[in-house]
Amino acid sequence: MDSELKNEMPASSAGPIASGTTTVAPEHVSTRNDVTSQQDRSLAWVQALPWLLFIIVLALAAWLGWRAFGANDLGDPLATSLVAFEKQNSLTVFSAQLAPVVASNDSRFFGTIQSRQVAVIPARVDYTLDLSQVGAERLAWDAEKHTLDVQLPAIKVGKPNLDEARAQYLREGIWITREAQDNLTRKNTQLAEQQAVKQAANPVLMNLARGAAKDAIRQNLAIPLSVAGYGDVTVNVRFDGEKASK
């Protein structure tokens, strides 16, 4: 009988002992971990999406900017120079203030009444360059020396601008009629204009005008070329008939 009890006890002790603890199956725990991992990945994707779109837009803007303003494509320096000329067309490079002194005579009543007028009439003369005549054939670019050679047409001397409001007159005569005075003034105006043209063509004034023109052209071309990315460019300017600088 004792042996029977011993054989039954192990069988009884091998069974589970009832308690208040619930046992969870391993497959249920794995399923919950997978769901949590998927939720975390979805949340991370939602948070990263705006930054990803921002980076794409930024890269696209940088690429478009490089295509439009890339430093490797500087364009044609001659075209840049011609655009600078086209914006001005005509350039006043120098102005001279002159004061022609002229005199004229008037005779009335068969020479019995003589009158004379001496006039000092201030005048201004402008010296201009016609930049519309400057084409690509007048420009030469040396990429190795970083030098631009420019050949300019002759300077044009403008029509004198007489300032008759500031004119000074000296009249001589026993009797100067109104008609005689108008005639004297008209003659002196014509003479002053002719004399101003001759004075403006003086070699000293012409050299001053050419020098001012060269300085203006150098500045007007060097600045656009520098802005276009060509750096420090040497601009050599000469007029028709002058020898090219070496």
Side-chain angles (χ1 to χ4, degrees):
M1 187 173 182
D2 292 336
S3 59
E4 292 176 359
L5 290 174
K6 290 180 181 180
N7 293 333
E8 292 176 357
M9 289 297 293
S12 174
S13 62
I17 301 175
S19 66
T21 303
T22 303
T23 303
V24 180
E27 59 271 13
H28 292 253
V29 176
S30 177
T31 303
R32 289 181 181 178
N33 291 338
D34 293 341
V35 172
T36 302
S37 178
Q38 292 178 358
Q39 291 177 349
D40 292 342
R41 286 196 297 268
S42 299
L43 181 60
W45 173 255
V46 171
Q47 292 176 346
L49 182 60
W51 288 102
L52 182 60
L53 294 176
F54 173 76
I55 293 174
I56 293 175
V57 172
L58 184 63
L60 180 61
W63 181 77
L64 293 176
W66 179 83
R67 287 291 302 273
F69 307 103
N72 293 330
D73 187 9
L74 298 179
D76 185 1
L78 300 185
T80 303
S81 303
L82 291 175
V83 169
F85 283 148
E86 290 174 357
K87 290 182 178 179
Q88 300 188 46
N89 195 16
S90 180
L91 178 64
T92 299
V93 296
F94 187 73
S95 295
Q97 300 291 335
L98 307 174
V101 179
V102 294
S104 58
N105 299 314
D106 182 78
S107 178
R108 303 277 168 172
F109 301 105
F110 303 102
T112 57
I113 299 178
Q114 299 285 336
S115 58
R116 175 181 172 84
Q117 183 189 73
V118 178
V120 180
I121 306 177
R124 188 191 73 187
V125 178
D126 292 333
Y127 298 76
T128 60
L129 276 175
D130 186 5
L131 298 180
S132 63
Q133 297 183 14
V134 181
E137 70 280 358
R138 288 181 173 270
L139 304 176
W141 170 251
D142 190 335
E144 294 182 359
K145 297 182 180 180
H146 235 47
T147 301
L148 178 65
D149 294 329
V150 184
Q151 183 177 349
L152 298 177
I155 287 181
K156 291 185 177 181
V157 181
K159 182 179 180 180
N161 183 14
L162 301 180
D163 188 0
E164 295 186 82
R166 296 171 49 210
Q168 298 178 358
Y169 299 96
L170 175 62
R171 299 181 180 92
E172 300 175 354
I174 299 176
W175 180 35
I176 303 177
T177 65
R178 183 58 181 267
E179 292 78 7
Q181 182 177 333
D182 292 343
N183 183 46
L184 292 171
T185 301
R186 184 167 53 253
K187 287 182 178 180
N188 280 336
T189 299
Q190 295 175 353
L191 292 174
E193 184 173 338
Q194 295 172 4
Q195 191 175 121
V197 172
K198 293 180 180 179
Q199 292 179 358
N202 182 285
V204 176
L205 292 178
M206 291 299 297
N207 288 334
L208 291 174
R210 292 190 186 97
K214 291 179 179 179
D215 292 339
I217 294 300
R218 289 190 189 99
Q219 183 177 2
N220 288 352
L221 291 182
I223 293 177
L225 289 173
S226 177
V227 172
Y230 292 96
D232 189 10
V233 177
T234 301
V235 181
N236 297 322
V237 184
R238 64 186 178 92
F239 284 91
D240 290 343
E242 295 180 348
K243 295 182 179 179
S245 59
K246 297 183 179 179

